[in-house]
Amino acid sequence: MPVARLAFEGLSRRFDRLVVLDRVSGKVESGGLFAVRGPNGSGKSTLLRCLAGLLAPDRGRVVAVEDGRALANDERRRRVGLLAPDIAFYDELSVSENLELVARLRGLPPASGRAVAERLGLPAARPWRALSSGMRQRLRWAFAVLHRPRLLLLDEPFQNLDDDGERIARALLDEHLENGGLAVAASPVSLPLPRISGELRLDR
Amino acid sequence: MKRPLLWLLWGWMATVIVAAFHWAPLAEGFLGQSSRILFFHVPMAWVSFVAFMVAGVRSLAYLAGRRTERRDQAAAAAIEIGLLFALLATVTGAIWARIMWNSWWNWDPRQASIVVALLFYAAYLALRAAVADREARGRLCAAYATLGLVVAPFFYFVLPRLGFTLHPEAVINAQGKVEVEPRMLVVLLASSAGFTALFFWMHQLRTRLALREARLLEGSD
Amino acid sequence: MSSGWTAEAAAVFAKDWRAERRARHAVATLVLFAITTLVIASLALGPIGATPGERSDVASALLWILLLFAAAAGLPRVFVHEEESHTATVLRLAARPSAVFAGKLAWVASLLALLEAVATPLALALFDLPVASPGRLVLALGAGGAGLAAATTLLAAIVAQGRGATTLFAALAFPLLVPLAVLAVAATRAALGGGDAGGVLVQLFLYDSTIMVAGFLLFPVIWAP
């Protein structure tokens, strides 16, 4: 039996009169990666926000299972690791202070994020406001994996990363999948991704 | 509402109006015929309270149970109609105050508290207009109307009793005794029952209309 | 409510204070607003000509008007800024909603306490007022401040998700804060003048606990879908 499973059925979401998602379904299990492909504006981010529990779908449902136990909506929001372009951190706080805050909020030892931040080559003392876009993306990666989630949701995971950054991020993703985690990754181009076990194509 | 029931409601309300002016006696200590406004003023204030409570209950159901469009629209409709009745209660009160106190408005605790209630629920409509996304609007408005479930009783029953008031004793006074002439009480209760039924009829119509409007705006569903 | 929950709430609270120490948005604005208002009012009214009773009436009303307006001007920011800068997503993903509410409530309450600590002695000095019952005054300020903090935190969380948050905040806050202001002014006046305010204080505490309980129950559904 898989350690983790994520399934979504018939998800629909509209903003005012604009239908962004129309009855989409998919599923993925431990060790697998579910790829969401589509052009800009096709609803990839909306889908990931629904999966993370940040956005309620108009119709359809999301089932997340960890260790044979289905997660409630509120629980899922706290347990997933989400990486998304619109996640931002506190301007006034440094990289290490921001990660320390996240660790405390998650009930982990304050220094939990230090190792992954070093691995990602993040400048610990620099405030969020002074980070380049590539470094910001690296901090988003650190945020997403800090609590070792089983369910990793990646929206444009390698955006703005240089070669070095992409290599580290890909290594993090590989390790996550090897350790029995699952991932959903959204990207506009046909970016090469490891261990694709399922795919969804969205149109505008 | 079924047609015969509707006719019954019309007949009931017509009887109440006739009884209020020709059958019920005048209350002592009131100028001229002014006490007769009681038969309309009190039920209107009562119905506005009922409406706000209906909105609160539907909102609580929305938050705790299935988040259906119907519950959301029913809460909004109840607040719209509740505002209408609260406004009518305020206006009838001001007319009576002009006769008895010789001024339309003098910030009597009861006048002040109905204004606070009016503003509280008018703000609900402002909130509804300010949130574009249907899901977020439903959630935020329902939370606000649920808050109303605890604060509206305060606006209606506690706030008016803070401070000195010239307003006649509420029908059921602080000692919990009813001190009204029996015929007046009959008309008052009949009127309150009639207005309450009128509210539920209006509410049902408004909710249906709002649901259809929403469906039309969205396109076919 | 485990110790983990307390630590989460404390982390939110500490984060806000740390950011505030570096940026100084809120405290400077609130304190300057308080000082300016008090100085203008005392210049306009002047200590001469009015009896101490009249002055204490004016000062208690003025103090609460000032606190209310400072709250309306400065406090919606506690959630609006989180939403606008997208840091709210981090809080939504990492923390329990009730801990976010508790942390934010503590932060707002501490700001208001600070504001009261600056504005009250200043008002007493500028209006040349004796205090009949300092203990009662602290109680009135504490109970009024707690209610103000609970109501503004809850409403700020609501308006932060809508358009035109500041205007909307004023519309939502006014009806909820009027009863609070009436009670708080009465309690403050009694503390200054030496009247009996036991009943008013009890009503203030009832108001506070109602809004706080409602806040903890409603915040999770306000905060996230």
Side-chain angles (χ1 to χ4, degrees):
Chain A
M1 189 160 132
V3 186
R5 191 162 62 83
L6 180 69
F8 52 99
E9 289 153 25
L11 288 189
S12 298
R13 185 62 158 97
R14 60 166 95 210
F15 293 100
D16 279 329
R17 303 178 70 171
L18 182 72
V19 179
V20 179
L21 286 179
D22 190 15
R23 285 161 293 178
V24 299
S25 305
K27 61 171 187 284
V28 57
E29 293 186 346
S30 280
L33 183 141
F34 189 87
V36 182
R37 310 281 202 186
N40 292 137
S42 58
K44 299 186 302 296
S45 298
T46 303
L47 174 60
L48 261 67
R49 288 172 68 80
C50 286
L51 295 182
L54 286 172
L55 193 67
D58 294 330
R59 242 175 291 143
R61 62 194 197 116
V62 179
V63 183
V65 179
E66 281 187 9
D67 302 317
R69 197 171 60 86
L71 302 179
N73 199 38
D74 284 341
E75 221 180 348
R76 190 174 83 234
R77 192 181 317 119
R78 264 191 104 203
R79 295 192 61 88
V80 299
L82 174 69
L83 179 144
D86 66 348
I87 290 180
F89 295 86
Y90 294 96
D91 270 340
E92 298 85 0
L93 305 188
S94 69
V95 165
S96 61
E97 284 168 337
N98 270 305
L99 285 174
E100 226 172 82
L101 168 68
V102 171
R104 281 182 207 274
L105 293 177
R106 292 198 181 281
L108 300 168
S112 311
R114 202 168 289 166
V116 70
E118 273 169 22
R119 194 168 157 194
L120 281 158
L122 280 160
R126 200 174 297 174
W128 168 257
R129 127 172 70 78
L131 291 184
S132 69
S133 45
M135 281 300 168
R136 289 184 174 200
Q137 185 72 349
R138 290 185 193 212
L139 183 53
R140 290 190 190 102
W141 264 97
F143 167 72
V145 300
L146 183 145
H147 57 300
R148 303 182 181 283
R150 292 272 168 74
L151 318 171
L152 196 55
L153 307 172
L154 306 169
D155 189 0
E156 320 259 352
F158 308 121
Q159 176 179 274
N160 290 327
L161 292 178
D162 55 18
D163 293 347
D164 194 37
E166 181 166 342
R167 188 180 48 74
I168 303 166
R170 283 186 181 277
L172 284 170
L173 177 57
D174 281 334
E175 282 163 36
H176 168 78
L177 295 174
E178 260 158 42
N179 292 334
L182 64 81
V184 178
S187 64
V189 286
S190 50
L191 188 79
L193 289 164
R195 299 177 194 239
I196 294 183
S197 68
E199 195 173 64
L200 175 69
R201 283 188 182 271
L202 296 171
D203 312 311
R204 218 165 318 186
Chain B
M1 206 182 273
K2 292 261 172 7
R3 188 133 294 207
L5 275 174
L6 212 50
W7 281 111
L8 183 68
L9 178 58
W10 296 143
W12 183 279
M13 291 309 279
T15 314
V16 163
I17 292 168
V18 172
F21 284 100
H22 294 289
W23 185 65
L26 289 169
E28 276 174 45
F30 287 74
L31 284 175
Q33 301 275 326
S34 74
S35 72
R36 296 198 192 279
I37 209 163
L38 163 95
F39 304 120
F40 306 98
H41 171 70
V42 173
M44 282 163 181
W46 159 250
V47 165
S48 69
F49 181 70
V50 169
F52 296 146
M53 289 299 103
V54 166
V57 169
R58 297 304 289 263
S59 297
L60 188 60
Y62 178 89
L63 292 177
R66 271 178 11 95
R67 300 195 175 176
T68 61
E69 176 93 13
R70 172 171 289 276
R71 284 174 177 165
D72 178 46
Q73 296 289 2
I79 285 173
E80 285 174 12
I81 302 170
L83 278 170
L84 175 70
F85 277 100
L87 202 61
L88 287 172
T90 312
V91 171
T92 50
I95 293 171
W96 181 84
R98 172 81 181 118
I99 296 165
M100 287 297 292
W101 304 337
N102 206 25
S103 77
W104 299 102
W105 200 260
N106 38 40
W107 290 113
D108 187 86
R110 254 181 212 280
Q111 293 180 320
S113 49
I114 192 111
V115 166
V116 172
L118 274 169
L119 288 174
F120 182 87
Y121 285 102
Y124 172 93
L125 297 183
L127 177 62
R128 250 186 125 67
V131 187
D133 182 59
R134 191 175 60 176
E135 189 273 334
R137 183 180 62 218
R139 181 159 52 81
L140 297 173
C141 289
Y144 188 75
T146 307
L147 182 65
L149 212 50
V150 283
V151 298
F154 181 82
F155 293 154
Y156 275 82
F157 301 111
V158 181
L159 208 54
R161 297 201 162 89
L162 298 178
F164 175 73
T165 178
L166 284 168
H167 192 278
E169 280 272 343
V171 175
I172 297 170
N173 60 27
Q175 286 80 45
K177 281 198 213 117
V178 181
E179 286 171 6
V180 189
E181 200 275 338
R183 269 190 293 171
M184 285 177 72
L185 186 65
V186 168
V187 178
L188 185 61
L189 290 178
S191 174
S192 300
F195 270 105
T196 308
L198 187 68
F199 160 72
F200 280 106
W201 174 67
M202 289 169 75
H203 180 242
Q204 180 217 350
L205 285 184
R206 182 70 191 102
T207 308
R208 249 165 57 198
L209 182 64
L211 280 169
R212 291 208 180 156
E213 270 173 5
R215 225 156 274 166
L216 269 179
L217 274 175
E218 259 176 27
S220 62
D221 206 347
Chain C
M1 305 267 149
S2 60
S3 66
W5 181 86
T6 321
E8 273 173 60
V12 174
F13 176 73
K15 178 272 295 178
D16 274 334
W17 264 114
R18 181 178 271 178
E20 175 60 32
R21 270 212 316 279
R22 292 182 189 165
R24 294 174 210 283
H25 283 298
V27 173
T29 320
L30 291 177
V31 169
L32 269 177
F33 180 84
I35 294 174
T36 319
T37 315
L38 281 171
V39 168
I40 292 171
S42 74
L43 274 176
L45 297 167
I48 314 144
T51 66
E54 285 165 353
R55 271 182 280 142
S56 87
D57 283 1
V58 171
S60 2
L62 186 68
L63 185 62
W64 283 102
I65 291 170
L66 181 161
L67 290 170
L68 248 60
F69 275 82
L75 297 181
R77 205 187 131 76
V78 300
F79 279 110
V80 172
H81 185 65
E82 299 264 7
E83 297 287 354
E84 280 174 356
S85 59
H86 296 289
T87 48
T89 311
V90 170
L91 290 183
R92 284 198 178 93
L93 289 166
R96 269 173 277 192
S98 61
V100 173
F101 184 68
K104 286 289 182 186
L105 178 58
W107 157 238
V108 169
S110 67
L111 273 179
L112 283 171
L114 187 77
L115 186 62
E116 286 177 340
V118 173
T120 315
L122 192 63
L124 294 177
L126 286 174
F127 286 85
D128 189 21
L129 286 172
V131 183
S133 168
R136 284 257 171 87
L137 181 61
V138 172
L139 271 181
L141 290 171
L148 187 53
T152 49
T153 309
L154 184 63
L155 296 178
I158 293 179
V159 300
Q161 295 181 55
R163 284 171 302 208
T166 323
T167 333
L168 190 59
F169 183 85
L172 293 186
F174 181 75
L176 214 52
L177 295 184
V178 163
L180 173 76
V182 170
L183 293 172
V185 169
T188 309
R189 196 193 297 155
L192 292 177
D196 178 48
V200 181
L201 276 176
V202 169
Q203 281 159 353
L204 257 185
F205 282 121
L206 277 177
Y207 177 96
D208 290 2
S209 32
T210 308
I211 301 291
M212 269 186 215
V213 170
F216 273 101
L217 291 176
L218 291 175
F219 184 77
V221 294
I222 291 167
W223 181 235

